[in-house]
Amino acid sequence: MNELARRRHARRFCVITAKYIPWDPIGAMPDDRKDRRLMLLWEGDRPVIGRWDDGRKGWEDPEGMHLFEEITYWADINSPE
C-alpha cells in the first residue's frame, strides 16, 4: 500500500471516542457559547454538531436546520493540537 492510500485508509477508519471529550452538563454552559458558534453537543445517545438559534431558543442542526430535542451535555470544538 502506498503512502497516499495508507493515509486515506487511516482517515476513513479513524474514530474519536466520545468518552475522551470533556463533556459538561448543558445547564452549566456559559451564555457566551450561545453566539451561533458550532458546538459539540450530546443528544439522546449520540454526539452531534449544533449551534444555538436565538429566535427559536434551541439548539439546531446547522445542515438540516431542525431543532435538537434532548441536549444534555456540551463541549467546545477545539482544533487538533
Side-chain angles (χ1 to χ4, degrees), residues 61-79:
D61 176 346
E63 298 292 323
M65 306 298 283
H66 70 274
L67 289 179
F68 294 117
E69 296 180 17
E70 298 179 48
I71 300 299
T72 54
Y73 293 93
W74 69 279
D76 285 315
I77 296 176
N78 300 313
S79 62

Side-chain angles (χ1 to χ4, degrees), residues 35-54:
D35 60 359
R36 296 200 48 86
R37 74 177 80 181
L38 294 178
M39 300 292 298
L40 184 58
L41 304 167
W42 191 264
E43 187 207 21
D45 62 352
R46 65 192 175 107
V48 295
I49 302 292
R51 66 178 171 214
W52 181 254
D53 182 323
D54 202 41

Side-chain angles (χ1 to χ4, degrees), residues 2-30:
N2 68 30
E3 182 63 19
L4 182 57
R6 186 190 67 73
R7 285 184 188 171
R8 284 184 184 151
H9 179 79
R11 213 175 311 141
R12 207 172 327 145
F13 293 101
C14 177
V15 176
I16 296 173
T17 305
K19 68 180 179 179
Y20 297 115
I21 295 170
W23 295 103
D24 288 307
I26 197 68
M29 177 184 278

